[in-house]
Structure formats: structure tokens, C-alpha cells
């Protein structure tokens, strides 16, 4: 969940994302937490060797990048 991110990372993810920066912080954290759990679980189940993402201002890409970097994907 968002506990995998420090405060600076959370703020950067929220500021970069068009959706999260335009909703209240509490809701943004709920979105970030839920998607973090989902992405972490998918990566653990699927165990990809690489991941190709389109660079856009969306928190899902930031979360995927964070976990892939952590797992050397």
C-alpha cells in the first residue's frame, strides 16, 4: 500500500497525476493505496521480466515504475 512510499514520493505521485491532484487528499490516498496493493499483487503473481508503459501523468504508471524498480524488472 502507500506505506511502501515515503511522504515525498506520495506527494510527487499525487502532484504528477491529473486525477489525484484534483480530488481531496484523503480520496487520493485511498486510490493510491488500493492501486498499490493491486499492482504489487499482480507483479508477485505474474513475475514479469520487463514492463513497457506509456509515459503519462497517471499515478498507476508511477506506482508500477516504483515496484518494478524495487524488483529489478
Amino acid at each position: 500500500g502507500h506505506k511502501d512510499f515515503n511522504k515525498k514520493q506520495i506527494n510527487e505521485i499525487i502532484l504528477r497525476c491529473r486525477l489525484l491532484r484534483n480530488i481531496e487528499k484523503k480520496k487520493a490516498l485511498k486510490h493510491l493505496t488500493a492501486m498499490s496493493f493491486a499492482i504489487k499483487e499482480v507483479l508477485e503473481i505474474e513475475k514479469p521480466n520487463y514492463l513497457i508503459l506509456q509515459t503519462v501523468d497517471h499515478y498507476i504508471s508511477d506506482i508500477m515504475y516504483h515496484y518494478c524498480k524495487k524488483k529489478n524488472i
Side-chain angles (χ1 to χ4, degrees):
H2 78 270
K3 304 271 188 241
D4 291 333
F5 301 94
N6 63 42
K7 284 185 180 186
K8 182 181 179 200
Q9 290 170 317
I10 290 170
N11 289 330
E12 287 174 352
I13 290 170
I14 290 172
L15 287 173
R16 278 196 297 263
C17 178
R18 191 178 310 169
L19 168 68
L20 297 186
R21 72 175 172 252
N22 286 302
I23 61 176
E24 62 183 64
K25 181 104 180 215
K26 190 174 180 179
K27 280 188 178 181
L29 288 172
K30 283 185 178 183
H31 281 274
L32 199 148
T33 300
M35 190 54 68
S36 295
F37 280 120
I39 290 170
K40 197 172 181 180
E41 185 175 341
V42 168
L43 291 175
E44 287 175 14
I45 292 168
E46 296 298 326
K47 298 179 185 0
N49 294 317
Y50 58 90
L51 185 67
I52 299 172
L53 295 170
Q54 181 178 357
T55 306
V56 292
D57 59 344
H58 201 264
Y59 72 107
I60 295 171
S61 299
D62 280 342
I63 294 168
M64 286 185 167
Y65 173 79
H66 173 81
Y67 285 126
C68 286
K69 187 174 179 184
K70 200 172 183 179
K71 291 179 168 284
N72 292 316
I73 298 173

